[in-house]
Amino acid sequence: MNLRPIVFLFAFALSACQSAPQEDQSSEAAKPALTSDELLQNQLTSARLPATLNERGLVVELAGVSFAPNSSSLTPAARSLLQKLASIVNNGEFDTRVLTIEGHTDSVGRESYNLKLSTERAEVVGSELVFNQVRADRITTIGYGESRPIASNTKPDGSADPEGQARNRRVDIVIQAAP
């Protein structure tokens, strides 16, 4: 068996690998390090808890934590999401962050009732986070009632929009560095 062609191909491949352009190590070093907010945002997104960084802080819209009409009860899926969130914010790098839990409702019913219900929703989420070892002194809850919708509660013809109403029955969590 003639091994010369095989040896030649091996030598050629080896030399091609050695002479291939190397990645510029300085470009890796030139990339700025992620901020603490960006690191937290990446971890939340990886856990399927998308967060948006804005002037208020890192805002997590708990899309999986929705509520039935007239209810402040958490579903098992919501409890699972909150357990993931607690695990992330209890991580040593983020365990000094403060969380403002904002409850919201649709516009069905009296405004005073919706304000009370949104406060209950925020408090239920806060209690679940405390149950999952987030310190209570890091949590503030507030209800906004129907005052901050993210979707229309009615269709253009004036009839109820059940999908929009469901999106408005939500809780947002604003995560900020401790003051």
Side-chain angles (χ1 to χ4, degrees), residues 1-9:
M1 177 174 179
N2 187 357
L3 295 176
R4 281 186 184 197
I6 295 172
V7 171
F8 174 75
L9 286 173

Side-chain angles (χ1 to χ4, degrees), residues 13-119:
L14 184 61
S15 69
C17 288
Q18 290 174 344
S19 64
Q22 299 293 317
E23 284 189 36
D24 183 9
Q25 300 295 332
S26 64
S27 69
E28 211 39 54
K31 289 182 183 175
L34 294 177
T35 66
S36 181
D37 281 336
E38 291 168 331
L39 287 171
L40 179 55
Q41 185 176 27
N42 288 346
Q43 286 190 25
L44 290 165
T45 301
S46 294
R48 299 184 182 200
L49 293 161
T52 306
L53 186 59
N54 64 30
E55 69 283 348
R56 294 170 48 212
L58 201 52
V59 181
V60 181
E61 182 186 324
L62 294 175
V65 180
S66 57
F67 299 89
N70 300 313
S71 173
S72 60
S73 297
L74 292 173
T75 64
R79 290 181 193 284
S80 177
L81 282 174
L82 292 170
Q83 185 177 22
K84 288 179 187 178
L85 178 71
S87 176
I88 293 168
V89 299
N90 281 336
N91 176 328
E93 185 171 350
F94 310 118
D95 66 355
T96 59
R97 299 280 180 125
V98 293
L99 293 80
T100 303
I101 302 169
E102 303 174 340
H104 303 275
T105 66
D106 58 31
S107 64
V108 177
R110 292 185 331 274
E111 190 173 335
S112 60
Y113 173 79
N114 286 335
L115 184 59
K116 179 180 177 287
L117 181 59
S118 67
T119 301

